[in-house]
Amino acid sequence: MNYIIKNGQVVNEGKTTHTDVLVKNGRIEKIGSGISVKFAAQEIDATGQHVIPGAIDDQVHFREPGLTHKATIYTEARAAVAGGITSFMEMPNTVPPVFTQELLEDKYAIANNTSLANYSFFMGTSNDNIDEILRTNDKKNDVCGVKIFMGSSTGNLLVDNPLMLDKVFGGSELLIATHCEDEKIIKDNFARLKAEKGTLEPADHPIIRNEEACFESSFRAIQFAKKYGSRLHILHISTEKELQLFGNMLPLEEKRITAEVCVHHLHFTADDYAQLGNKIKCNPAIKAAYNRDALWKALLDDRLDVIATDHAPHTWAEKDEPYEKAHAGLPLVQHSVLMMLNYVKQGKITIEKVVEKMSHAVAKCFTIQDRGYIREGYFADIVMVDMNKSYSVSKENILFKCGWSPLEGTTFPASITNTFVNGNLVYGNGVFDESNRGMRLKFKR
């Protein structure tokens, strides 16, 4: 079906314009006022609403295959679409981990059959799969990147062999995304605190996984990248100290080293452990408030390039354990856009900047083809937002398979009303149309 979105406030490329958007055959046919439509098109009234490009989340964990008691690509992509995310890039720490090209393509096959959003998947790294990693070079226009866990993870995903790191940074032609926390510092901090206290609690998490652990690992990744001129993207920056490693002197398209910040590190602080406990236990940890303040400053001055979620769902039973056993990660894709729009209403950031960091900049950072903007000829990944209609998070409207959120009880001042993926109205006023699936993302490299 074709659509004409009428009378919306279109937010795109730093401007907000009162105009119409015509969608034909999955793409944006025309943008302008008083468009003459010469073919059948359903009219969508966007009066009083903002029309924005769909968010692109460059870091999610949808748990399939092998961990489907927590989530599936279907359930989490569905939640993402309801939250205004039209494309995602998913991580390799599934069961089995994505260490071969065959396992990577298996995930694409699952998404092709089940995902309502557009998708891409990272190739995983271990200490001994360099040949498989380098085979990904042949797919550089079809795969978002290579992921390195330079801090603890499940299975043998921790890459701590300097020779392996050297080979990956020296050989990969794709973007290399890193989780940066120093494992030795974390283990030493844990042992020291355990000896002092005996029983640990959630508030100890940012002491164990502290600023130094993040900085040392990020610094090491940057050294490898500079040695080879690699395209490095450091995920979920969480500390003030790390920000000295990033600059804003170059336009994003020219940066070889970029940085991501996640919504939970912009929203929560260590003070929230008292109320939320393990609900906000994640890696890297949510830390003291001065780090959050510094992250906001760096986001607004473009040292931090993109906003993501690191959506990482676990069952409530897995979170409701004593601190040391509780799994780390938060489910966030349904609410990340609303979280940022909340700060728009507070005057902390403009809606144009939110669109830049959640859509435009992600498309630039990963060189995604024909997405991330409201432009004629681009895929119609479009979200309609009512900035004056509130939305309250409750167990009844949570769509994640895990069924809980650290934001339960929060009322946001804005709502997602409609989400188009490839020109299909997949989510409209609380109702899903699941007759179409998302598409595999393509990259211009």
Side-chain angles (χ1 to χ4, degrees):
M1 184 178 292
N2 303 316
Y3 296 90
I4 182 164
I5 303 169
K6 299 279 290 184
N7 301 316
Q9 297 293 325
V10 175
V11 184
N12 190 58
E13 300 185 71
K15 297 178 181 179
T16 298
T17 308
H18 184 264
T19 192
D20 305 334
V21 180
L22 179 62
V23 175
K24 180 182 180 183
N25 296 331
R27 292 187 181 248
I28 298 168
E29 177 80 3
K30 191 171 181 60
I31 303 166
S33 298
I35 297 173
S36 176
V37 183
K38 299 179 180 179
F39 49 84
Q42 180 179 333
E43 183 173 314
I44 305 288
D45 184 11
T47 302
Q49 298 194 50
H50 286 77
V51 179
I52 66 176
I56 304 170
D57 195 333
D58 76 343
Q59 186 187 185
V60 302
H61 302 265
F62 284 179
R63 305 304 189 195
E64 192 172 8
L67 297 167
T68 53
H69 66 288
K70 302 175 191 276
T72 66
I73 290 171
Y74 166 73
T75 59
E76 309 312 280
R78 188 171 183 267
V81 164
I85 293 170
T86 54
S87 299
F88 64 84
M89 302 177 215
E90 206 262 357
M91 292 297 162
N93 53 331
T94 47
V95 179
V98 183
F99 289 156
T100 70
Q101 296 301 316
E102 290 71 26
L103 289 169
L104 179 62
E105 290 304 320
D106 285 348
K107 292 180 78 169
Y108 279 106
I110 295 169
N112 181 65
N113 290 326
T114 66
S115 178
L116 297 183
N118 305 311
Y119 50 86
S120 192
F121 297 93
F122 284 89
M123 179 65 187
T125 57
S126 69
N127 280 319
D128 55 12
N129 74 327
I130 187 63
D131 291 340
E132 288 292 320
I133 294 167
L134 296 184
R135 285 178 64 196
T136 319
N137 289 340
D138 296 331
K139 300 179 179 179
K140 55 179 173 285
N141 295 321
D142 296 303
V143 175
C144 54
V146 171
K147 171 67 181 289
I148 306 177
F149 287 90
M150 296 176 68
S152 59
S153 184
T154 54
N156 59 338
L157 278 151
L158 172 63
V159 180
D160 54 3
N161 183 337
L163 293 176
M164 181 62 180
L165 290 170
D166 200 70
K167 290 176 181 177
V168 176
F169 279 93
S172 178
E173 298 174 10
L174 281 74
L175 177 146
I176 299 169
T178 55
H179 176 137
C180 287
E181 290 183 286
D182 186 279
E183 189 68 8
K184 183 179 185 305
I185 292 174
I186 292 168
K187 287 182 176 179
D188 289 348
N189 288 340
F190 178 87
R192 174 180 54 79
L193 209 57
K194 182 72 172 173
E196 290 174 5
K197 296 184 63 176
T199 300
L200 301 179
E201 56 190 355
D204 294 319
H205 200 54
I207 301 170
I208 295 166
R209 309 184 82 94
N210 64 4
E211 291 90 340
E212 200 65 29
C214 294
F215 177 84
E216 289 299 324
S217 185
S218 291
F219 181 66
R220 187 178 309 120
I222 289 172
Q223 286 180 309
F224 277 110
K226 287 185 173 180
K227 177 179 178 181
Y228 291 105
S230 311
R231 176 66 185 91
L232 172 64
H233 184 59
I234 301 186
L235 304 167
H236 44 46
I237 299 299
S238 63
T239 75
E240 180 182 47
K241 188 171 184 178
E242 287 170 285
L243 296 172
Q244 65 186 282
L245 300 173
F246 306 103
N248 56 9
M249 299 300 289
L250 293 174
L252 178 55
E253 298 92 328
E254 296 179 21
K255 288 185 179 183
R256 297 297 292 169
I257 298 171
T258 52
E260 170 207 276
V261 65
C262 289
V263 287
H264 48 290
H265 292 123
L266 294 170
H267 187 74
F268 298 110
T269 74
D271 297 335
D272 295 311
Y273 288 109
Q275 178 183 353
L276 295 172
N278 290 331
K279 284 184 178 180
I280 59 168
K281 179 184 177 182
C282 57
N283 302 333
I286 290 163
K287 300 178 175 68
Y290 70 85
N291 293 290
R292 180 184 66 178
D293 296 341
L295 294 174
W296 269 104
K297 184 177 180 180
L299 176 69
L300 295 173
D301 71 18
D302 297 332
R303 283 173 289 160
L304 293 172
D305 300 293
V306 303
I307 299 171
T309 64
D310 193 16
H311 175 83
H314 300 285
T315 67
W316 180 242
E318 291 168 334
K319 292 296 280 187
D320 194 30
E321 291 270 11
Y323 163 72
E324 291 181 41
K325 292 184 178 180
H327 293 216
L330 319 182
L332 291 163
V333 288
Q334 190 179 345
H335 307 118
S336 59
V337 174
L338 293 180
M339 291 170 77
M340 296 309 301
L341 294 177
N342 178 53
Y343 288 109
V344 171
K345 294 285 280 193
Q346 291 181 19
K348 198 174 184 72
I349 189 171
T350 66
I351 192 168
E352 293 84 2
K353 195 73 169 179
V354 170
V355 166
E356 177 192 333
K357 296 297 185 180
M358 300 189 85
S359 302
H360 302 341
V362 192
K364 286 182 185 178
C365 191
F366 286 82
T367 63
I368 301 171
Q369 186 172 316
D370 294 350
R371 301 189 189 274
Y373 297 84
I374 297 179
R375 287 177 176 169
E376 292 178 1
Y378 273 49
F379 286 104
D381 297 337
I382 297 172
V383 174
M384 291 170 54
V385 174
D386 190 333
M387 293 295 290
N388 297 305
K389 181 182 179 183
S390 63
Y391 179 91
S392 297
V393 182
S394 66
K395 283 200 179 295
E396 290 70 33
N397 58 29
I398 289 171
L399 298 174
F400 315 129
K401 186 172 183 179
C402 66
W404 67 273
S405 166
L407 297 164
E408 284 174 49
T410 301
T411 296
F412 293 111
S415 296
I416 308 297
T417 60
N418 295 281
T419 302
F420 296 83
V421 180
N422 305 313
N424 301 305
L425 183 56
V426 177
Y427 177 81
N429 296 308
V431 178
F432 287 92
D433 178 352
E434 301 189 10
S435 59
N436 294 283
R437 295 292 178 262
M439 297 171 62
R440 182 169 181 163
L441 298 178
K442 298 292 184 179
F443 306 89
K444 295 180 289 185
R445 293 171 176 150

